[in-house]
Amino acid sequence: MEDKAAQKIILSGIKPTGQLTIGNLIGAMNNFVKLQHDYDTLYMVADLHALTVPQEPKELRHKTLSIIAQYIAVGLDPEKNDLFIQSHVTGHTELSWILGCLTGLGDLSRMTQFKDKSSKPGANINAGLFTYPVLMASDILLYNADYVPVGEDQKQHVELTRDIAMKFNFRYSDTFTIPEPIIPKTGARIMDLQNPLSKMGKSDSGESGRIALIDDPVMVSKRIRSAVTDSGSEIIYSDSDEKAGIRNLLTIYTNLTDKSVPEIEKMYEGRGYGDFKKDLADIVVEKLRPIKEKHDELMNNKDYLESVLKNGASNAQKKAWKVLSKVYRKVGLVQTGR
Ligand code: AMP
Ligand code: TRP
């Protein structure tokens, strides 16, 4: 890769609200891994974002570390990437305040994720849930990221980030890079195995509809084999709602192997869903096995994880200060060179 690309900055994050799923892997983490070689990459665990829904403190700490371990387990090299926890770097919430003062209530009310979450029966609609996208914009703009690898559901938040950055630049002169999302062509929205018309979520899918990266292999196999399909028998990729189940399984298959969808369709011509699901179950199990093993090993080596986190946060902090102090100066906050 050319030097220029090496200077481009990538930032992304995942919130520790549950176990990472194969949706997170295919929609976001596979790109994290690919991009690490050619860019200046920062990947964080968005623990402050997780607080927008009630969390059990002990569990939150565990899940946060577990995601860092899974980042490394899927292939992110701590030497090549700044791996850190959002709350370890000063600047995310500070910038969020400043950007919040530039963001319209109307813009935040339009956010699909907020509308979905707040319309659920018994939803806890707190101010954090509403201003969540402003904190996400701060995560991205604090490092002047050029690209943000995410799944489909986060596209709207990155678009809002772009709008906020443009507004700031217009009002206070050029400061922020306008970031672009990187969304996979296929697999940007992996669906629930039991309800293939809704997204596979860490916390909002039922247990049998999702597959976590560190699930027990017997369970993984069982869940794939009992995924909802349709009353037909043809393994073909079709956009119809009726074929949503098989379409989702084909998407998982193509993303976890080097086979294209037409190749897979051909391989299973004349064979039934049973054969197809059994093979896919084996593929998923084999893909996840080393991830779980590495994760479990790292979770038993907290000293190592802590050293990765200290190093990641220290690198990220240096980058964050530069941008934050520039922002403070531009908006008119007095600085005394602390
Ligand atoms: P979250 O789990 O909401 O913190 O999401 C972390 C990242 O994974 C974001 O980039 C999401 O867009 C992506 N992601 C989450 N669920 C899925 C899914 N079912 N399919 C594809 N990408 C997903
Ligand atoms: N909101 C993102 C999600 O739920 C997680 C996230 C927080 C994020 N900050 C980010 C993603 C910054 C990309 C960039 O998926």
Side-chain angles (χ1 to χ4, degrees), residues 52-54 116-126 129:
T52 53
V53 289
D116 284 354
K117 294 212 162 154
S118 56
S119 64
K120 287 209 172 119
N124 159 15
I125 314 175
N126 57 71
L129 197 63

Side-chain angles (χ1 to χ4, degrees), residues 17-48:
T17 46
Q19 298 290 0
L20 295 185
T21 69
I22 53 170
N24 295 122
L25 179 69
I26 296 172
M29 297 163 89
N30 274 348
N31 268 340
F32 294 5
V33 175
K34 272 189 218 147
L35 294 162
Q36 69 179 326
H37 305 292
D38 301 315
Y39 297 90
D40 180 4
T41 44
L42 299 110
Y43 297 119
M44 54 164 218
V45 179
D47 57 346
L48 298 172

Side-chain angles (χ1 to χ4, degrees), residues 6-11 39-43 78-84 89-92 95 138-145 175-176 311-327:
Q7 290 157 7
K8 295 249 181 193
I9 299 165
I10 306 260
L11 177 127
Y39 297 90
D40 180 4
T41 44
L42 299 110
Y43 297 119
E79 301 289 321
K80 278 203 173 119
N81 306 276
D82 295 337
L83 303 180
F84 66 101
V89 176
T90 304
H92 292 253
L95 182 58
S138 308
D139 300 336
I140 299 168
L141 300 180
L142 188 59
Y143 302 96
N144 264 326
T175 306
F176 292 125
N311 191 39
S314 145
N315 290 339
Q317 186 69 73
K318 284 184 206 127
K319 297 171 185 172
W321 278 132
K322 279 196 192 143
V323 179
L324 190 66
S325 54
K326 192 169 172 188
V327 168

Side-chain angles (χ1 to χ4, degrees), residues 68-98:
I68 292 290
Q70 288 176 73
Y71 277 172
I72 301 171
V74 299
L76 287 177
D77 178 353
E79 301 289 321
K80 278 203 173 119
N81 306 276
D82 295 337
L83 303 180
F84 66 101
I85 295 175
Q86 185 184 31
S87 65
H88 288 188
V89 176
T90 304
H92 292 253
T93 50
E94 283 78 358
L95 182 58
S96 179
W97 178 259
I98 294 173

Side-chain angles (χ1 to χ4, degrees), residues 64-74 294-295 298-299 305:
T64 303
L65 285 179
S66 169
I67 294 188
I68 292 290
Q70 288 176 73
Y71 277 172
I72 301 171
V74 299
K294 183 79 189 169
H295 164 269
L298 288 165
M299 287 302 274
L305 284 182

Side-chain angles (χ1 to χ4, degrees), residues 11-15 44 46 49 113 132 136 139-140 148 150 154 157:
L11 177 127
S12 196
I14 298 185
K15 54 185 186 311
M44 54 164 218
H49 275 107
Q113 183 172 306
Y132 175 116
M136 179 162 159
D139 300 336
I140 299 168
V148 185
V150 282
Q154 295 302 314
H157 290 160

Side-chain angles (χ1 to χ4, degrees), residues 6 102 154 186 191 208 212 216 234 259 263 281 324 330:
L102 281 178
Q154 295 302 314
T186 81
M191 309 308 269
S208 51
D216 168 61
E234 269 189 304
K259 296 190 171 59
E263 277 170 340
L324 190 66
K330 293 239 184 170

